[in-house]
Amino acid sequence: MEYPGLNFCHYQSTGEGLWGVTDHEFGHNWFPMIVGSNERRYAWMDEGFNTFINHYSSNAFNNGEYPSTLNQTRMYSNYFMSETREGIDTYPDVSNLNNLGMIAYNKPAMGLLMLREYILGPERFDPAFKSYIKAWAYKHPMPSDFFNHIENVSGENLSWFWKGWFYGTGNIDLGINAVVPYSGKSLAILSNKGDFPMPVLLEITYTDETKERVMLPVEIWQRGDNWNHLIQSTKTVKSVVIDPDKILPDINLGNDNWPQLIYDK
């Protein structure tokens, strides 16, 4: 349990359990002790931010002795498909207790992870996140203050992401329908079958085993849920995969690859 400058853990805690609780409670010295968010109303600005920074501190501690699994977002597919799931914006005192771990801790932390590792990249996210902490130290930010600050410093309109991930229970489902020849090159036919848009990171492998990555911005979905991307190479395409590092908690593994992969039971 955390208090300003004072943390408690169980006297029998050892190994990974001791590291996890110590790291987590130390993290609370930043959220909400220094950046004073209202944890009674917005638990995700407290526990979620802390779970996010714990991901990196755990991976750095003792050469990754107790690595974080936060980036294994598809472990949580059962929750994202559950009919009883709730949004991050649900007040903690009225949420289903079975959902509190996700909506206060894991889902908001995954949202920040996606921002850093997939949507903005560390080069834009890190200055924005550090600037937010500095600007709101010893003050009391609301969710809109966090959203606006990250947008202003990163220079990116992220309203689609705040609305999709932090408000509501929608899911991500990006897919590759086909890759077809086109004017001496190849055309990747993509679709967004999810509830809100996302940028599309493609890893293209050619028959000569060379690879390249292309990031398509979220704006490709402004006029609909289908997009044809012309691969700017005359090489023969061997395979294409969406989100090769599996950062996104995409609910459908089956349409992320072309040609479609067959998984053995």
Side-chain angles (χ1 to χ4, degrees), residues 119-120 124 150-158 160 218-219:
I119 298 170
L120 294 176
R124 285 197 293 165
I150 296 298
E151 288 191 0
N152 290 339
V153 179
S154 69
E156 184 89 9
N157 178 359
L158 297 165
W160 56 273
V218 70
E219 286 80 8

Side-chain angles (χ1 to χ4, degrees), residues 118 201-203 213 241-247:
Y118 188 91
L201 176 62
L202 297 176
E203 183 173 82
R213 290 190 174 190
V241 60
I242 291 177
D243 183 22
D245 301 320
K246 299 296 179 280
I247 299 297

Side-chain angles (χ1 to χ4, degrees), residues 123-196:
E123 66 280 357
R124 285 197 293 165
F125 177 87
D126 289 355
F129 194 60
K130 291 177 181 178
S131 175
Y132 165 74
I133 295 170
K134 183 177 181 179
W136 286 96
Y138 310 110
K139 300 175 184 177
H140 303 287
M142 301 288 282
S144 57
D145 297 314
F146 172 68
F147 299 151
N148 290 335
H149 199 100
I150 296 298
E151 288 191 0
N152 290 339
V153 179
S154 69
E156 184 89 9
N157 178 359
L158 297 165
S159 58
W160 56 273
F161 183 67
W162 310 132
K163 181 179 178 181
W165 191 253
F166 287 86
Y167 295 91
T169 59
N171 284 314
I172 301 168
D173 183 7
L174 302 174
I176 306 174
N177 298 336
V179 176
V180 298
Y182 184 82
S183 298
K185 298 179 181 179
S186 297
L187 197 68
I189 302 173
L190 310 174
S191 63
N192 175 27
K193 299 181 180 180
D195 300 300
F196 56 94

Side-chain angles (χ1 to χ4, degrees), residues 1-2 28 31-33 36-47 92:
M1 186 63 196
E2 76 278 2
H28 278 303
F31 308 104
M33 305 308 176
S37 53
N38 187 338
E39 56 194 299
R40 298 274 182 182
R41 295 182 65 186
Y42 311 112
W44 64 270
M45 297 183 74
D46 165 24
E47 300 294 0

Side-chain angles (χ1 to χ4, degrees), residues 189-220:
I189 302 173
L190 310 174
S191 63
N192 175 27
K193 299 181 180 180
D195 300 300
F196 56 94
M198 286 294 292
V200 181
L201 176 62
L202 297 176
E203 183 173 82
I204 304 160
T205 302
Y206 299 98
T207 52
D208 64 1
E209 300 302 329
T210 60
K211 296 183 178 183
E212 69 169 325
R213 290 190 174 190
V214 178
M215 176 64 90
L216 306 181
V218 70
E219 286 80 8
I220 65 174

